[in-house]
Amino acid sequence: MMSAANGLPRALSGKILVTRRLPPNVTARLQRDFNPTLNPEDVLRTPAEWLQLANGHDAILCCATEWMDAQFMANLPGSVRMIATFSVGYEHIDVAGATARNIIVTHTPEVLTDATADMTMLCLLAAARRAREGDALVRTGEWSVWTTEMLLGVHVTGKRLGIYGMGRIGRAVARRARGFGMEIHYHNRTRLAPELELGAIYHESAERLLAVSQFLSLNAPAAAQNDKFLNEAAIGRLPDGAVVVNTARGSLVDDDALIAALTRGKLAAAGLDVFAGEPRLDERYRTLANVFTMPHLGSATHETRDAMGFCCLDNLSAFFAGKPCPNALNDQASHDQDSR
Ligand code: DGY
């Protein structure tokens, strides 16, 4: 075990600032293995407040709710040597700024792949089969008679699903969608090896993918090149009556363009788990009947949230033991499309 500057073994000197309340099993291990400053009331704080609190801490365990931009990194106290984010997405962290200050940044890939892919299928099916309207009909008591034409939706089996961003989550979506009889198409910057592609049809350009996507699933990270990827031009390329699903990040969507297309019937429906500026979102989404919404629940299962927490702790343990962190981002900060 490496020694810290104060002569104590590093594993015992790990003073961790924890920005959000974490699952009980994760908190218990944190308290067993480290010296954490917890946030039991789950208070949301400003970056300036986190900077002040970070004084004297060796590491920060944060969530995607804490934005750590270049200015934040520049002002971080010198004691902070590591940031572990409880998320696979890391657009909220200026990794380059952290690297410049020799701060390790880790995230939580793999452990949330299945839960997020499940959520993608939930959004896809709910949007296609009008779950929001059906549920409302039952709950309001307005369902008085069964009819042959009541709330007809979009058939899923046999349709083409375009996956934008065929990383871990995209591939897990493909596996599930195959079970629903869908034909899988995808776009990535680089084509997958055949054993990962599993028969999915590769499109060298996003434009070509869009043109065939009767269903479109966004599974790419919130990188600059993906900002408002689904804009008016992109939607224009989709087949009429397409269904759009987003479980990645709200920044991939131009809300004005999506809402206009859903309103005028260019798109049949959308299933959205994420929104630009969430938890605030474009008010029009609340009233559009053909939009199925969820409050960013992609990874929200007991098992997955525990696994995300343990992943953070594994990385912290490695760091304080002087070993390489298994999920360090600093050497792979290029935001590849397949990094989710
Ligand atoms: C992630 O891990 O990136 C999820 O979207 C939760 O923020």
Side-chain angles (χ1 to χ4, degrees), residues 64 86-89 108 112 247-249 274 296 299 305 308 340:
F86 183 96
S87 61
V88 66
T108 63
L112 45 65
T247 55
R249 285 292 188 263
V274 289
H296 199 151
S299 61
R305 289 286 161 84
M308 290 166 74
R340 283 185 70 83

Side-chain angles (χ1 to χ4, degrees), residues 241-285:
V243 174
V244 165
V245 177
N246 188 11
T247 55
R249 285 292 188 263
S251 61
L252 271 72
V253 169
D254 177 338
D255 288 327
D256 282 333
L258 180 58
I259 289 166
L262 288 161
T263 306
R264 68 171 196 273
K266 161 70 185 173
L267 296 178
L272 307 174
D273 183 44
V274 289
F275 301 87
E278 62 185 42
R280 273 172 296 182
L281 54 115
D282 193 307
E283 288 296 318
R284 292 170 291 177
Y285 284 128

Side-chain angles (χ1 to χ4, degrees), residues 56-176:
H57 288 86
D58 303 302
I60 302 178
L61 199 173
C62 67
C63 290
T65 41
E66 282 73 58
W67 285 82
M68 302 184 177
D69 60 9
Q71 200 192 348
F72 185 96
M73 287 305 165
N75 291 322
L76 256 184
S79 60
V80 176
R81 309 270 25 110
M82 177 179 175
I83 297 170
T85 182
F86 183 96
S87 61
V88 66
Y90 51 91
E91 71 282 359
H92 55 295
I93 298 178
D94 176 16
V95 178
T99 306
R101 293 216 38 204
N102 208 18
I103 296 169
I104 303 280
V105 182
T106 65
H107 69 149
T108 63
E110 292 172 18
V111 292
L112 45 65
T113 299
D114 287 324
T116 309
D118 289 348
M119 178 57 72
T120 305
M121 292 311 293
L122 172 73
C123 288
L124 185 155
L125 293 168
R129 299 302 301 275
R130 306 178 67 170
R132 176 178 181 158
E133 294 160 277
D135 185 66
L137 210 57
V138 175
R139 285 178 196 275
T140 57
E142 284 171 26
W143 181 34
S144 56
V145 63
W146 184 92
T147 75
T148 60
E149 291 176 319
M150 188 172 76
L151 293 183
L152 301 186
V154 181
H155 198 68
V156 169
T157 310
K159 294 286 170 61
R160 294 186 296 269
L161 169 64
I163 299 179
Y164 180 71
M166 194 72 147
R168 297 180 191 90
I169 296 172
R171 297 197 297 274
V173 171
R175 284 197 295 278
R176 284 157 176 74

